[in-house]
Amino acid sequence: MYSPMTEYLKMVSTRLGTTGIPVKFKLPDAKVKEPFYVIGPHTGNDSPSAKFGPAIIDTSLQIDLYYPIDSRTALEEAVFKTKIALNKRIDHQILIDNSIGREVYHVVFRINDYIY
């Protein structure tokens, strides 16, 4: 039996995998070419839980998509596929980034969810 957060992360990883874009849990070496997702940090608040009984966690999870800079329309399609795969309300921001040693699109997704 896994913790609710572990199960949640596994579910997110599996759903993202349906897009065909590789999923990582930490930023890979600069030799790894994009596109790829990085399932990043999360915050959690278990105050919605009863004192005794099942845990309820109000969480916010960050997912980063690094995508080649050569096609904005291909990027928009990847953003759309991500939202369909996760089937959740998602905030996202598209940036141009060179933190991985080359200029890429960097999309920061934020999912807010309750985990039971």
Side-chain angles (χ1 to χ4, degrees), residues 1 9 31 46 52-53 111:
M1 183 167 143
L9 291 173
K31 292 181 248 176
D46 66 359
F52 299 100
I111 304 172

Side-chain angles (χ1 to χ4, degrees), residues 53-107:
I56 300 171
I57 302 167
D58 181 5
T59 189
S60 178
L61 176 66
Q62 180 175 318
I63 300 168
D64 299 280
L65 170 62
Y66 293 87
Y67 205 85
I69 196 85
D70 58 351
S71 175
R72 178 63 187 258
T73 56
L75 170 71
E76 293 295 344
E77 290 300 310
V79 169
F80 181 70
K81 287 178 183 178
T82 301
K83 289 182 172 190
I84 289 172
L86 293 173
N87 193 26
K88 302 214 174 276
R89 283 193 49 221
I90 301 172
D91 295 322
H92 74 279
Q93 179 181 18
I94 298 174
L95 308 164
I96 295 178
D97 186 344
N98 66 358
S99 66
I100 62 170
R102 58 193 169 273
E103 193 171 73
V104 297
Y105 286 117
H106 177 187
V107 184

